[in-house]
Amino acid sequence: MHAPVTHRTIDVDGIQTFYREAGPPDAPVFLLPHGYPCSSYEFRDLMPALGDRWRLLAPDLPGFGYSAAPEGFSWTFDGYADFLERFTHVMGLSRYALYLHDYGSQFGLRLALRAPERVAALVIQNGDIYEDVMGPKYAMLRAYWSDPTPEGRAKLAANVSEEGFRDEFVGDLPAHLAERVSPDLWKLHWSLMDTPGRRENVVTLFEDQATTLDWFAKEQQYLRENRPPTLIVWGPHDGYMPEESARAYLRDLPDAELHVLDAGHWALETSLGEIVPLVRDFLGRVHTS
């Protein structure tokens, strides 16, 4: 049942954009924007497991993975949301389910706010929009946002390193889960990010992340007013987004289907076998055309 995954590059407003695709071209679309510090590689195993029934598209966002990092790009959450919207237009996507994870949840939700009629369903996996239940690992970011000093910025920049990437992928996991995560994950992405320009762009994005707090209320309102069919699969071993961050969605989506797994922030790395049947069953009920 595993579908082949193709690897292509497309021009999006002058940006050479690498993307992965699986599934029939006329199948219902499942759009997969990735998180930090990853790329479309995040979805390399999910895509073939769903590509028999859905068309899955996972772009590398500018400055990540194999996509270009052009001068003049806006290294902000607004800039990435604009890019994702343009990607959907260039690819001719009129309706899609969205996978919302990490930074990709912000880009995806802003896309949903701009065109709610195009969103068939949401799959939310460790992507938070509730400020009151943010985890303790946000402390350094929030300290910088409230007092943006050069010393604080240097601390942020120090995390853009191979060791910092390793901590993002396995730092919060208990041993029985950490050993399932291949070092390829952080070594690959560090090798692709390790240029002065790309590292600086990421720090700029860290700084701009403060603006996402003002979007939370709009995103919550979108959920309340539109009630998109929603599956929540969550890894609670997450210093940024603990279990409370998942349950907070039920304030605005009381009918959402919630599954808390023995997993962390990068649940697809450790718990794919649990997530695939949940997603297949959910999309099979709500996103078939």
Side-chain angles (χ1 to χ4, degrees):
M1 292 179 60
H2 279 58
V5 177
T6 58
H7 307 83
R8 300 184 174 121
T9 301
I10 192 171
D11 185 295
V12 180
D13 297 341
I15 302 172
Q16 290 301 298
T17 302
F18 174 88
Y19 69 98
R20 301 170 198 257
E21 181 170 3
D26 58 349
V29 174
F30 194 12
L31 182 59
L32 310 166
H34 65 80
Y36 169 84
C38 209
S39 66
S40 62
Y41 185 78
E42 172 180 350
F43 303 109
R44 67 197 181 281
D45 295 323
L46 180 68
M47 297 178 75
L50 300 177
D52 61 315
R53 293 190 59 186
W54 294 275
R55 181 189 180 197
L56 297 100
L57 291 164
D60 282 359
L61 299 170
F64 290 88
Y66 300 117
S67 287
E71 291 186 12
F73 183 77
S74 175
W75 306 103
T76 64
F77 281 77
D78 279 344
Y80 278 105
D82 290 344
F83 171 84
L84 185 62
E85 182 178 36
R86 288 297 302 144
F87 178 79
T88 67
H89 292 168
V90 171
M91 296 297 294
L93 309 182
S94 60
R95 189 162 173 79
Y96 35 76
L98 284 166
Y99 194 97
L100 302 180
H101 173 243
D102 194 82
Y103 281 6
S105 63
Q106 284 298 309
F107 311 144
L109 280 170
R110 294 192 198 188
L111 181 65
L113 264 68
R114 296 177 185 189
E117 72 282 358
R118 296 189 173 196
V119 178
L122 303 177
V123 177
I124 305 174
Q125 189 255 298
N126 294 71
D128 56 344
I129 62 168
Y130 296 90
E131 187 174 358
D132 62 307
V133 287
M134 283 179 160
K137 287 188 80 169
Y138 274 112
M140 183 170 67
L141 280 167
R142 297 184 70 148
Y144 177 77
W145 296 338
S146 63
D147 184 21
T149 65
E151 294 78 13
R153 194 177 196 279
K155 289 182 180 179
L156 296 183
N159 282 314
V160 186
S161 64
E162 182 176 333
E163 186 57 31
F165 281 21
R166 182 186 184 280
D167 183 67
E168 292 288 341
F169 288 120
V170 299
D172 297 318
L173 293 180
H176 74 282
L177 294 176
E179 63 187 9
R180 299 183 193 176
V181 181
S182 171
D184 296 341
L185 199 62
W186 59 87
K187 288 187 174 293
L188 167 65
H189 288 95
W190 175 242
S191 72
L192 295 170
M193 186 66 71
D194 189 17
T195 71
R198 289 194 177 215
R199 295 197 305 270
E200 176 63 20
N201 296 338
V202 168
V203 178
T204 300
L205 192 58
F206 289 165
E207 294 177 302
D208 188 68
Q209 190 176 349
T211 66
T212 65
L213 302 181
D214 293 332
W215 280 86
F216 285 0
K218 301 172 190 177
E219 292 159 353
Q220 294 161 17
Q221 182 180 3
Y222 159 78
L223 297 177
R224 288 193 303 272
E225 292 181 352
N226 292 275
R227 296 293 181 94
T230 300
L231 169 69
I232 305 170
V233 288
W234 208 271
H237 304 296
D238 186 342
Y240 291 108
M241 306 170 196
E243 182 174 336
E244 291 79 7
S245 298
R247 297 195 178 279
Y249 276 97
L250 300 180
R251 304 172 189 173
D252 298 304
L253 289 173
D255 298 327
E257 182 180 333
L258 170 63
H259 298 267
V260 178
L261 311 176
D262 182 20
H265 189 80
W266 300 91
L268 291 176
E269 296 300 320
T270 63
S271 308
L272 185 76
E274 296 174 79
I275 292 173
V276 166
L278 293 172
V279 175
R280 287 187 67 88
D281 174 69
F282 170 70
L283 291 181
R285 287 183 277 116
V286 304
H287 188 34
T288 57
S289 63

